[in-house]
């Protein structure tokens, strides 16, 4: 046992002596100029190390440096700066004059991907052939140099494309291990806080840099993120997924293939690509198994009842801050800066309480002219189509849409957009509308257009036209009607022509029919003040008790009915008394005229005839 301990002590002394000799005999500053030359020879980048290099022997043999920077050829700003850098080196290769860096660790680094940090090619500079993607380096007679791993902790990434706003990624932690074939495994995490929104993301990826810088391929096997803040659902957005990214330097093209992403309860598959340039060109081909916009967008108030609406209006809504530089920018100005070909399909979509199936969309944006050639889907037993254009190439945005609805439940639409109108029925509509902004509030206030609507099986709660007319007749005559306790007006069919102009909706050629009613009319509605003023001529065809000339007259005579006031506090006026009075006058004149005709030779008959002529 004593011999074993003695042997171990001797080995320990030898190792300590060897490390001490290495530290004393090998000056790490001798590597400075060598590393700078090797970095420039292999990548063209300029490595700058401030301060002296020093050894660190425990728990890993390392070389420590002070502040460092890495600058692309011709760039005005360093690509990478760090407060300190640690190079973990292998011990045994040092004995053979090989500087084998097992890991590079940067702490407090600032990585800037901006136009100022990009490499600038000198005029008439030679271009390396494609097959020579990694420059060959002649074997050095003294030291050889290689790097295996990279670790970045507590660092910052600043990204900016052209003249767009900078995006800062904080709390970066990156670990990358690379083999001799330039295939690396990457673990990454970071956080972005911008415009009162917080995004935390992490990913694991396999990166193939064997053809870098001409091509770089990344297979992201696991991607996780969490987004929270203003203009988002209360619970935020949590997601995960996988994808493949390919960067082609020669074409400045980024491809995103095998997209398989989830966000809350929505799922997405497909592919996308972009060619970067003065005008980026995007292509999207995406399929959603389920797209629940209610869990991806800020919550919208839904008009279920008065109390609920009032509570929703009283709750303070947190909104994103207005950036001073964008105050004078027109709406949708971002569409001017790129082109895009977008194809979307979704098996199921939920938005504002409405459920759609088999949704399909084809859109093309050309520097501010967005053409929506197709936007359609099923809603219940009906079909909806909403093609149109959005033109922002000039100072003021202009939107034009041609909605086509076939057998759509109108109550769902009114409820979704907070119109407190108690109306149900199957809507068929063909229209043409235009405005300057695409949202529900702008449609209420500043859009224009026309449409023809056709409603079937309608029910309007609150007023029963048949009941109103018959009760008024009962009060003014001896005619009786069947008791009717329904508080709604039912129609088998209803048609009208609509004209919308800055919140004022005009209704012309209104016609409605059922087994009980026949009506015509016209009127106006104020979408902003939520008021109406409509005039109907109503014929009640059934529900009268007994038979008689007066009942026949009432069935054939339209009764003027005026409905007006707030949508939720409607008032009405009927002109039944005038109709009945005129009917009695006409009946009296008819009977007197008949008597006068029978007694035309008598003086009384002649006097009655003169009286009738004066009436």
């Amino acid at each position: 046992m004593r011999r074993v301990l003695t042997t171990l002590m001797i080995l320990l002394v030898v190792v300590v002596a060897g490390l001490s000799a290495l530290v004393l005999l090998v000056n790490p500053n001798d590597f400075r100029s060598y590393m700078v030359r090797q970095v420039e020879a292999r990548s063209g980048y300029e490595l700058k190390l401030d301060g002296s290099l020093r050894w660190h022997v425990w728990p890993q043999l390392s070389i420590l440096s002070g502040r460092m920077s890495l600058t692309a050829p011709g760039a005005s700003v360093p690509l990478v700066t760090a407060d300190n850098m640690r190079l973990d080196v292998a011990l045994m290769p040092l004995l053979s004059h090989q500087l084998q860096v097992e890991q590079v660790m940067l702490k407090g680094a600032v990585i800037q991907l901006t136009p100022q940090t990009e490499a600038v090619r000198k005029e008439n500079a030679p271009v390396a052939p494609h097959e020579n993607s990694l420059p060959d380096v002649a074997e050095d007679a003294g030291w050889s140099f290689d790097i295996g791993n990279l670790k970045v902790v507590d660092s910052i990434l600043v990204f900016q494309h052209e003249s767009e706003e900078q995006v800062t990624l904080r709390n970066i932690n990156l670990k990358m291990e690379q083999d001799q074939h330039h295939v690396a495994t990457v673990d990454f995490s970071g956080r972005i806080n911008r415009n009162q929104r917080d995004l935390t993301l992490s990913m694991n990826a396999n990166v193939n840099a064997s053809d870098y810088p001409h091509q770089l391929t990344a297979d992201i096997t696991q991607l996780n993120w969490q987004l929270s803040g203003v203009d988002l659902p209360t619970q935020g957005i949590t997601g995960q997924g996988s994808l493949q990214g390919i960067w082609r330097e020669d074409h400045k093209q980024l491809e995103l293939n095998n997209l398989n992403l989830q966000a809350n309860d929505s799922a997405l598959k497909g592919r996308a690509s972009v060619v970067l340039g003065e005008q980026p060109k995007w292509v999207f081909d995406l399929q959603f198994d389920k797209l629940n916009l209610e869990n991806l967008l800020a919550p919208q108030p839904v008009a279920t009842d008065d109390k609920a609406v009032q509570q929703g209006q009283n709750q303070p809504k947190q909104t994103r801050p207005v950036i001073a530089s964008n105050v004078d920018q027109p709406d949708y100005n971002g569409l001017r800066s790129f082109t895009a070909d977008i194809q979307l399909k979704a098996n199921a979509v939920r938005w504002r309480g409405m459920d759609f199936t088999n949704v399909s969309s084809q859109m093309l944006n050309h520097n501010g002219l967005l053409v929506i050639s197709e936007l359609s889907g099923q809603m219940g037993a009906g079909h909806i189509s909403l093609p149109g254009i959005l033109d922002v190439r000039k100072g003021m945005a202009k939107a034009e849409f041609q909605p086509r609805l076939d057998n759509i439940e109108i109550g769902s639409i009114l409820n979704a957009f907070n119109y407190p109108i108690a109306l149900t029925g199957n809507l068929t509509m063909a229209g043409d509308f235009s405005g300057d902004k695409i949202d529900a509030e702008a449609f209420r206030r500043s859009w224009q257009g026309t449409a023809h609507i056709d409603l079937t099986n309608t029910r309007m709660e609150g007023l029963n036209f048949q009941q109103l007319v018959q009760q008024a007749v009962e009060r003014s005559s001896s005619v009786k009607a069947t008791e009717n306790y329904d508080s709604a007006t039912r129609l088998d069919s209803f048609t009208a022509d609509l004209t919308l102009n800055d919140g004022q909706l005009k209704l012309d050629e209104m016609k409605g029919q059922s087994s009980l009613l026949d009506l015509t009319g016209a009127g106006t509605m104020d979408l902003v003040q939520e008021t109406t003023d409509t005039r109907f001529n109503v014929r009640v065809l059934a529900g009268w008790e007994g038979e008689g000339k007066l009942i026949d007259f009432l069935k054939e005579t339209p009764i003027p009915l005026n409905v007006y006031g707030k949508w939720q506090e409607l008032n009405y006026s009927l002109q039944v008394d005038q109709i009945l009075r005129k009917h009695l006058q006409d009946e009296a004149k008819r009977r007197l005229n008949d008597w006068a005709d029978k007694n035309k030779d008598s003086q009384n008959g002649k006097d009655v005839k003169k009286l009738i002529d004066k009436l």
Side-chain angles (χ1 to χ4, degrees):
M1 186 66 181
R2 182 179 298 176
R3 291 182 178 179
V4 174
L5 292 176
T6 302
T7 302
L8 291 177
M9 291 299 296
I10 293 173
L11 290 175
L12 180 60
V13 170
V14 170
V15 171
V16 172
L19 289 174
S20 301
L22 178 64
V23 171
L24 293 174
L25 298 177
V26 179
N27 185 354
N29 290 285
D30 294 340
F31 303 134
R32 180 194 301 273
S33 59
Y34 177 75
M35 287 189 294
V36 170
R37 290 197 309 270
Q38 289 296 309
V39 169
E40 184 174 7
R42 296 192 177 203
S43 66
Y45 284 68
E46 178 187 359
L47 174 64
K48 184 177 180 181
L49 302 173
D50 295 338
S52 60
L53 304 181
R54 59 192 185 277
W55 287 110
H56 182 77
V57 298
W58 184 262
Q60 167 71 43
L61 182 61
S62 307
I63 298 176
L64 303 181
S65 77
R67 186 171 181 81
M68 61 79 63
S69 65
L70 185 66
T71 306
S76 59
V77 177
L79 174 67
V80 180
T81 59
D83 295 334
N84 57 71
M85 178 176 67
R86 190 185 80 196
L87 305 178
D88 295 339
V89 299
L91 174 60
M92 297 307 295
L94 284 175
L95 303 178
S96 303
H97 282 204
Q98 294 179 1
L99 180 59
Q100 182 176 335
V101 180
E102 295 183 343
Q103 177 174 275
V104 177
M105 179 176 177
L106 301 178
K107 187 173 183 179
V110 177
I111 306 168
Q112 300 188 71
L113 301 177
T114 66
Q116 292 76 25
T117 63
E118 291 183 355
V120 178
R121 185 183 298 276
K122 295 181 180 179
E123 188 176 357
N124 300 325
V127 179
H130 180 275
E131 60 272 10
N132 190 24
S133 59
L134 291 174
D136 294 331
V137 180
E139 291 294 329
D140 193 280
W143 293 90
S144 64
F145 179 61
D146 195 14
I147 298 177
N149 301 337
L150 173 65
K151 186 175 182 180
V152 179
V153 297
D154 299 333
S155 300
I156 296 175
L157 170 65
V158 179
F159 175 80
Q160 182 184 28
H161 176 65
E162 300 298 337
S163 59
E164 297 176 0
E165 294 182 51
Q166 288 187 351
V167 177
T168 302
L169 186 61
R170 304 180 184 276
N171 301 336
I172 290 178
N173 289 283
L174 170 67
K175 183 178 181 181
M176 183 176 70
E177 298 180 359
Q178 179 182 236
D179 62 17
Q180 66 273 21
H181 301 294
H182 303 287
V183 176
T185 59
V186 177
D187 296 330
F188 173 85
S189 65
R191 177 181 178 184
I192 300 175
N193 188 290
R194 186 167 178 259
N195 293 345
Q196 298 186 24
R197 289 182 175 180
D198 188 83
L199 172 64
T200 302
L201 58 88
S202 63
M203 70 174 183
N204 306 114
N206 298 318
V207 180
N208 187 342
S210 60
D211 199 20
Y212 180 82
H214 298 287
Q215 179 171 310
L216 186 67
T217 302
D219 290 313
I220 301 177
T221 57
Q222 184 63 45
L223 175 65
N224 299 284
W225 71 87
Q226 185 171 9
L227 178 64
S228 60
V230 300
D231 289 344
L232 291 171
T234 305
Q235 74 276 15
I237 301 175
T238 301
Q240 59 276 333
S242 61
L243 61 107
Q244 181 192 63
I246 303 176
W247 170 253
R248 305 182 193 278
E249 175 64 25
D250 296 342
H251 301 93
K252 298 294 183 182
Q253 182 186 44
L254 174 64
E255 292 183 6
L256 301 177
N257 300 319
N258 303 325
L259 287 169
N260 188 357
L261 305 176
Q262 291 183 345
N264 289 347
D265 57 346
S266 298
L268 161 69
K269 293 183 179 180
R271 61 185 181 87
S273 66
V274 58
V275 177
L276 298 180
E278 185 176 351
Q279 296 286 344
K281 298 179 181 179
W282 288 90
V283 176
F284 293 93
D285 185 3
L286 306 176
Q287 301 87 41
F288 295 87
D289 182 56
K290 179 181 179 181
L291 178 58
N292 188 351
L293 294 174
E294 293 184 352
N295 284 340
L296 298 177
L297 303 176
Q300 298 289 336
V302 178
T304 54
D305 53 57
D306 296 347
K307 184 176 180 180
V309 172
Q310 291 174 358
Q311 289 177 349
Q313 292 174 346
N314 292 334
Q315 292 177 354
K317 181 181 178 181
Q318 189 179 18
T319 58
R320 298 174 62 186
V322 178
I323 301 174
S325 60
N326 292 335
V327 170
D328 298 329
Q329 295 291 337
D331 292 325
Y332 317 109
N333 184 63
L335 293 174
R336 299 179 181 179
S337 61
F338 68 94
T339 64
D341 187 351
I342 305 170
Q343 182 174 339
L344 304 176
K345 292 185 180 297
N347 294 331
V349 176
R350 182 170 179 81
W351 179 55
R352 286 180 172 261
M354 298 181 290
D355 292 308
F356 304 88
T357 58
N358 300 324
V359 176
S360 178
S361 178
Q362 181 71 49
M363 296 179 282
L364 179 65
N365 177 53
H366 186 71
N367 304 124
L369 178 60
L370 177 63
V371 179
I372 305 174
S373 57
E374 180 187 10
L375 179 57
S376 62
Q378 300 293 126
M379 181 178 174
H383 182 268
I384 184 170
S385 176
L386 195 63
I389 63 170
L390 174 62
D391 191 348
V392 296
R393 294 173 296 179
K394 299 180 180 179
M396 180 70 71
K398 183 178 181 181
E400 297 179 359
F401 285 88
Q402 297 79 42
R404 300 291 185 269
L405 283 69
D406 183 17
N407 199 32
I408 299 297
E409 172 54 54
I410 190 174
S412 300
I413 297 177
L414 294 174
N415 188 60
F417 292 98
N418 305 319
Y419 287 90
I421 302 176
L423 175 65
T424 59
N426 299 322
L427 170 66
T428 297
M429 183 185 79
D432 192 345
F433 296 93
S434 62
D436 58 357
K437 193 173 183 180
I438 303 176
D439 64 40
E441 189 62 25
F443 184 85
R444 278 183 184 243
R445 297 177 178 274
S446 60
W447 277 57
Q448 303 84 35
T450 59
H452 177 78
I453 65 170
D454 190 339
L455 282 162
T456 59
N457 301 321
T458 64
R459 177 183 174 92
M460 186 179 71
E461 300 289 345
L463 291 178
N464 185 331
F465 287 4
Q466 175 198 2
Q467 185 183 70
L468 295 178
V469 172
Q470 290 180 332
Q471 287 179 348
V473 170
E474 286 181 323
R475 289 193 297 267
S476 302
S477 69
S478 60
V479 175
K480 298 298 181 181
T482 304
E483 290 187 358
N484 185 349
Y485 300 102
D486 196 351
S487 61
T489 298
R490 298 172 180 266
L491 293 173
D492 296 332
S493 65
F494 177 84
T495 61
D497 293 327
L498 310 182
T499 302
L500 177 64
N501 186 19
D502 296 339
Q504 300 298 315
L505 183 65
K506 185 180 179 183
L507 301 98
D508 294 314
E509 299 294 330
M510 289 193 292
K511 296 179 181 179
Q513 290 180 336
S514 73
S515 60
L516 302 177
L517 290 175
D518 185 280
L519 62 83
T520 60
T524 60
M525 300 179 72
D526 190 323
L527 303 186
V528 178
Q529 300 298 324
E530 298 186 352
T531 61
T532 186
D533 185 4
T534 51
R535 297 163 301 282
F536 297 98
N537 292 313
V538 181
R539 288 194 301 127
V540 179
L541 307 177
W544 304 104
E545 290 186 355
E547 299 290 339
K549 292 184 178 180
L550 180 56
I551 292 178
D552 293 339
F553 168 78
L554 291 172
K555 289 181 180 180
E556 297 174 357
T557 304
I559 306 297
L561 170 63
N562 181 211
V563 179
Y564 60 93
K566 289 283 188 180
W567 292 346
Q568 295 177 299
E569 300 175 358
L570 291 175
N571 301 301
Y572 71 94
S573 64
L574 277 167
Q575 299 179 16
V576 173
D577 292 341
Q578 295 90 324
I579 296 295
L580 292 177
R581 187 180 302 114
K582 186 176 184 304
H583 173 70
L584 292 175
Q585 291 175 348
D586 292 343
E587 182 66 18
K589 288 174 63 177
R590 184 186 65 78
R591 292 186 179 186
L592 288 173
N593 194 56
D594 291 343
W595 185 88
D597 289 340
K598 291 179 180 180
N599 300 277
K600 59 182 178 180
D601 295 332
S602 66
Q603 184 62 38
N604 289 336
K606 294 178 180 179
D607 293 340
V608 170
K609 192 69 173 178
K610 291 179 181 179
L611 178 62
I612 293 174
D613 293 338
K614 292 180 180 180
L615 293 177

